[in-house]
Amino acid sequence: MSLTSTYTLNNGVKIPQVGFGTWQTPDGQVAEESVLKALEVGYRHIDTAQGYHNEESIGEGLRKSGIPRAEIFLTTKLWNSNHTKELVQSSFAESLKKLQTDYVDLFLIHWPNPVMYRDNWQKANAETWAAMEELYAAGKIKALGVSNFMIHHLEELAKTAKVMPAVNQVFLAPGEEQATLAAYCQEHNIILEAYSPLGTGRIFNVPEMQALAEKYNKSIAQIALRWSLQHGFLPLPKSVTPSRIQENSEIFDFELAPEDMALINALDGVVGKQKNPDTTNF
Ligand SMILES: NC(=O)c1ccc[n+]([C@@H]2O[C@H](COP(=O)([O-])OP(=O)(O)OC[C@H]3O[C@@H](n4cnc5c(N)ncnc54)[C@H](OP(=O)(O)O)[C@@H]3O)[C@@H](O)[C@H]2O)c1
């Protein structure tokens, strides 16, 4: 296995098993350079979002890399204010322009139940998804997915969807394996992407993780990412630090023993839990 090993999505599209996260990566030189570094060490899967306000510099990093577009798996996400047909179309067109591309590999609904649509999230998601299906049919999106969807959101979407989601991107980190949701997604052929696989930096203060790092002679980040992979998740580590970008890519030369997987599973909530999407304030 390597950074370019893939999972196969429910429509046959291949997706690299590790992606490069970019939330809170500031627009401009930092985003551009971190993407360039990630591509240099071998990542071929980049995760951004309309809501991260860095699509433009990510597009610039991708262009400057000189790597053919077809060799890169690029994801962006629909922001919470855009859950109508017209806004899907216009914001998606804007994303393509910023990213300097004419298609994305994966387009996700970022959150299922934004405050703006809380009165009618079911209808808003159905309309949003139908608009995304049109872009998919037109070849501008290679795979459709969702993020922060719990089982009831997925079931509601399935009532009207013609194309089933290929991916659900949720909070999955040591102590938060979302076993019920994970089993549901597995049964429905939905790949789980693990966001905040390092607990947005909180994992580095966990003594049990430090002990495991010493045991395996690896870093805490590498242990957490390995745990994610061995669950069959697709981790999306974020860093703007070149040495860490490199470190987070070196996770294919060791394996955690079953008892250590269990130990990490049991660190219940140590870096937080999945936010309840029905009560977020955005
Ligand atoms: N769909 C959603 O709603 C959603 C929500 C959250 C995240 N995400 C996605 O998931 C990605 C990752 O999640 P995240 O950004 O929350 O954080 P994360 O990847 O769990 O952790 C990133 C933090 O850890 C630090 N770090 C990274 N590698 C390190 C290492 N080897 N040693 C020490 N520190 C290290 C980073 O610092 P530096 O950057 O300063 O190096 C940063 O502060 C996001 O960027 C985004 O693409 C999606």
Side-chain angles (χ1 to χ4, degrees):
M1 263 173 73
S2 73
L3 268 188
T4 49
S5 301
T6 53
Y7 294 122
T8 302
L9 299 176
N10 63 11
N11 63 355
V13 166
K14 303 228 184 283
I15 183 169
Q17 290 181 4
V18 180
F20 183 64
T22 64
W23 175 45
Q24 305 192 101
T25 297
D27 202 23
Q29 203 181 342
V30 176
E32 210 178 294
E33 283 177 3
S34 58
V35 165
L36 278 168
K37 180 66 190 177
L39 294 170
E40 184 196 313
V41 308
Y43 290 85
R44 288 295 179 271
H45 174 175
I46 311 287
D47 182 81
T48 183
Q50 294 173 350
Y52 299 170
H53 304 293
N54 58 15
E55 286 173 312
E56 215 155 5
S57 345
I58 284 170
E60 193 54 15
L62 292 172
R63 187 189 67 76
K64 282 193 181 154
S65 76
I67 297 172
R69 174 68 185 88
E71 289 174 24
I72 292 167
F73 192 99
L74 180 59
T75 301
T76 195
K77 316 183 189 86
L78 182 79
W79 186 238
N80 286 355
S81 47
N82 296 334
H83 286 207
T84 69
K85 178 176 179 171
E86 290 70 30
L87 290 170
V88 168
Q89 291 170 340
S90 58
S91 71
F92 180 77
E94 179 119 335
S95 287
L96 287 188
K97 197 166 157 220
K98 288 180 174 165
L99 291 164
Q100 304 186 37
T101 184
D102 54 7
Y103 72 95
V104 296
D105 296 278
L106 181 63
F107 192 49
L108 308 178
I109 300 182
H110 205 147
W111 289 88
N113 192 355
V115 167
M116 262 180 84
Y117 300 96
R118 199 144 286 168
D119 292 347
N120 65 341
W121 64 266
Q122 298 89 336
K123 203 167 154 280
N125 282 349
E127 176 180 332
T128 295
W129 192 257
M132 288 166 60
E133 286 174 334
E134 281 181 20
L135 294 166
Y136 175 72
K140 289 175 187 290
I141 301 172
K142 303 298 178 196
L144 298 181
V146 294
S147 177
N148 296 294
F149 272 51
M150 303 294 106
I151 292 174
H152 62 288
H153 305 115
L154 291 166
E155 289 190 330
E156 188 62 39
L157 191 69
K159 290 181 188 169
T160 55
K162 297 192 195 80
V163 178
M164 288 303 146
V167 163
N168 189 12
Q169 182 182 126
V170 297
F171 180 51
L172 292 162
E176 177 60 314
E177 56 176 310
Q178 301 212 49
T180 310
L181 177 67
Y184 180 93
C185 287
Q186 205 168 18
E187 198 183 312
H188 290 82
N189 209 2
I190 300 171
I191 294 282
L192 278 163
E193 292 189 343
Y195 78 59
S196 306
L198 312 174
T200 318
R202 290 184 295 269
I203 199 68
F204 302 103
N205 305 318
V206 177
E208 291 88 345
M209 293 297 291
Q210 180 60 41
L212 286 171
E214 281 160 25
K215 174 173 170 183
Y216 286 90
N217 199 21
K218 292 285 167 185
S219 71
I220 290 180
Q222 290 166 334
I223 300 285
L225 296 171
R226 188 68 215 177
W227 171 86
S228 193
L229 279 181
Q230 286 182 221
H231 266 291
F233 303 151
L234 191 161
L236 301 168
K238 172 263 178 189
S239 177
V240 296
T241 313
S243 59
R244 293 172 175 175
I245 294 172
Q246 170 93 42
E247 177 188 320
N248 296 347
S249 73
E250 294 168 352
I251 51 175
F252 298 100
D253 59 350
F254 73 109
E255 192 163 333
L256 297 170
E259 63 273 21
D260 292 326
M261 288 294 290
L263 192 157
I264 300 174
N265 294 343
L267 295 173
D268 191 31
V270 76
V271 294
K273 288 282 191 184
Q274 168 74 47
K275 268 197 179 75
N276 179 350
D278 294 323
T279 57
T280 52
N281 60 358
F282 50 84

